[in-house]
């Protein structure tokens, strides 16, 4: 049995499919005598006839049908192996184009860094954009993956949640509310706020929280970046609602206090988004899996 070759197995499945030596030989671009010799060698190796000829028609024997079944299994397995290897090669050589929304720049580059250490040959491009620009790129299908906190419901997309995005209320350190516990959101109506720009996911979430509590915020200033908002808060211009991710490097500085307001942290999600129906590459799919596993780790470490 071990003398059988893959070439012979391929020939035998063609013979079973066409039911005729001449047609099978033609399909395999070989001569009929050459094919017939291979079939004869197979039946000699197995020790039983694999087919019988009745008139012009060729029938497989019981042994022939078993050989055909095994040949298909083996060839299918090899085909699957072939595509697995192609995927692996893709992973070692591929490209990854990411477009991420402003606040995601506080954690995505770090995750990307550790992903690239595992797959050093992958070429990465990262575009940091505001929501409108990100949506525009998504509509034009310019990137492999988009990271955003609010996916567009009007577009046909797949949106995979992978990590929590907690929003906090921050105040300059030493603020009178800083030491109080369990503050009612209503108290914040008396304060001035520094807000992110219109269209920012953080701003939309903060607005909808306060609207649902029938609180009208006093906006002192609107600024187009998290860093600018932090500077304004540190300078005493008001309070702000920001993603916890934006404060990772500032928590130790003591410039801000996080207020203990009922309903906060407001838990949002980060989504990895791509157009529905897009065939995602092996690299993109590996990065997506990586994001999901890092998200699960972060939940385990901050339950
Ligand atoms: P941002 O945050 O738009 O406020 O930068 C991202 C998001 O929450 O969608």
């Amino acid at each position: 049995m071990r003398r059988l070759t893959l070439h012979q197995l391929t020939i035998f499945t063609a013979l079973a499919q066409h039911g005729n030596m001449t047609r099978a030989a033609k399909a395999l671009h070989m001569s009929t005598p050459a094919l017939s010799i291979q079939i004869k060698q197979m039946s000699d190796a197995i020790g039983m006839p694999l087919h019988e000829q009745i008139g012009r028609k060729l029938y497989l024997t019981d042994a022939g049908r078993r050989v055909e079944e095994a040949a298909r299994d083996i060839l299918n397995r090899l085909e699957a192996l072939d595509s697995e290897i192609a995927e692996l090669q893709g992973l070692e050589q591929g490209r990854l184009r990411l477009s991420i929304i402003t606040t995601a720049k506080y954690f995505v580059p770090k995750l990307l860094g550790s992903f690239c250490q595992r797959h050093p040959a992958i070429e990465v491009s990262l575009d940091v954009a505001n929501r409108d620009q990100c949506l525009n790129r998504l509509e034009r299908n310019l990137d492999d993956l988009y990271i955003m906190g609010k996916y567009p419901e009007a577009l046909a997309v797949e949106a995979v949640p992978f990590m929590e995005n907690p929003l906090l209320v921050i105040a300059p350190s030493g603020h009178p509310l800083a030491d109080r516990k369990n503050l009612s959101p209503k108290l914040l109506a008396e304060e001035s706020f520094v807000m992110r720009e219109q269209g920012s996911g953080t701003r939309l979430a903060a607005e909808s929280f306060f609207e649902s509590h029938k609180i009208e915020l006093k906006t002192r200033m609107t600024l187009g970046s998290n860093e600018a908002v932090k500077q304004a808060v540190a300078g005493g211009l008001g309070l702000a609602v920001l993603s916890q991710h934006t404060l990772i490097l500032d928590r130790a500085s003591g410039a801000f206090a996080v207020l203990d307001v009922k309903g906060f942290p407001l838990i949002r999600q980060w989504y990895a988004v791509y157009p529905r129906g897009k065939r995602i590459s092996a690299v993109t799919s590996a990065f997506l899996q990586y994001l999901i596993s890092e998200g699960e780790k972060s939940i385990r470490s901050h339950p």
Side-chain angles (χ1 to χ4, degrees):
M1 197 70 79
R2 288 177 184 272
R3 298 203 327 260
L4 296 178
T5 65
L6 288 175
H7 182 51
Q8 287 173 335
L9 297 180
T10 308
I11 289 174
F12 198 77
T13 56
L15 180 66
Q17 184 187 342
H18 293 282
N20 174 301
M21 294 234 185
T22 310
R23 279 204 298 269
K26 204 163 163 211
L28 294 170
H29 306 290
M30 60 194 295
S31 70
T32 310
L35 181 133
S36 157
I37 290 171
Q38 294 295 333
I39 301 288
K40 165 102 180 45
Q41 284 177 355
M42 286 180 80
S43 79
D44 288 349
I46 288 167
M48 288 178 83
L50 301 178
H51 68 89
E52 52 193 1
Q53 189 82 36
I54 300 177
R56 295 172 68 84
K57 200 143 170 48
L58 181 149
Y59 295 91
L60 296 189
T61 60
D62 274 354
R65 272 195 292 278
R66 306 260 170 114
V67 171
E68 185 210 352
E69 216 172 280
R72 287 199 190 284
D73 280 353
I74 293 165
L75 295 172
N76 284 342
R77 184 67 192 90
L78 281 178
E79 215 168 279
L81 176 64
D82 206 31
S83 52
E84 282 166 29
I85 298 292
E87 293 259 295
L88 282 182
Q89 281 167 342
L91 198 51
E92 294 321 317
Q93 298 159 8
R95 290 186 54 191
L96 179 63
R97 285 159 308 185
L98 291 178
S99 191
I100 67 172
I101 201 143
T102 30
T103 300
K105 77 176 176 194
Y106 289 91
F107 68 98
V108 174
K110 191 161 170 241
L111 291 177
L112 199 52
S114 43
F115 180 75
C116 288
Q117 266 170 11
R118 294 182 187 190
H119 307 290
I122 292 178
E123 197 189 313
V124 178
S125 72
L126 179 72
D127 190 82
V128 182
N130 68 23
R131 187 170 165 81
D132 282 349
Q133 292 160 338
C134 242
L135 293 182
N136 186 283
R137 292 183 71 89
L138 173 63
E139 265 184 286
R140 290 158 60 214
N141 190 19
L142 294 184
D143 308 279
D144 297 308
L145 212 55
Y146 301 80
I147 310 283
M148 47 183 74
K150 186 170 158 40
Y151 60 89
E153 278 160 22
L155 296 181
V157 293
E158 298 295 342
V160 183
F162 65 92
M163 192 181 275
E164 285 188 346
N165 176 16
L167 301 188
L168 309 169
V169 183
I170 61 164
S173 59
H175 189 280
L177 297 179
D179 294 326
R180 294 185 40 191
K181 295 272 164 253
N182 221 6
L183 294 165
S184 159
K186 299 237 173 327
L187 278 175
L188 300 185
E190 311 301 317
E191 301 289 326
S192 296
F193 270 77
V194 182
M195 298 296 276
R196 284 280 308 276
E197 77 283 6
Q198 286 285 356
S200 131
T202 309
R203 176 177 177 139
L204 288 172
E207 283 177 343
S208 101
F209 174 86
F210 289 111
E211 264 166 39
S212 71
H213 286 77
K214 309 212 168 3
I215 295 166
E216 206 174 315
L217 288 187
K218 281 193 278 185
T219 302
R220 172 90 170 267
M221 188 180 266
T222 297
L223 293 169
S225 82
N226 291 308
E227 287 307 308
V229 171
K230 285 193 285 182
Q231 292 304 325
V233 173
L237 289 170
L239 310 187
V241 174
L242 285 183
S243 163
Q244 182 178 299
H245 296 289
T246 67
L247 301 170
I248 291 169
L249 299 176
D250 301 282
R251 291 298 275 271
S253 75
F256 307 106
V258 174
L259 300 189
D260 181 11
V261 180
K262 268 189 249 167
F264 283 84
L266 200 56
I267 302 294
R268 301 179 69 226
Q269 286 289 328
W270 288 111
Y271 294 91
V273 178
Y274 57 92
R276 181 165 302 152
K278 183 178 170 101
R279 199 187 168 286
I280 60 172
S281 69
V283 173
T284 309
S285 148
F287 185 61
L288 193 51
Q289 288 311 316
Y290 182 70
L291 289 179
I292 294 169
S293 69
E294 289 300 304
E296 283 166 359
K297 267 193 225 160
S298 75
I299 291 174
R300 281 199 298 276
S301 54
H302 306 285

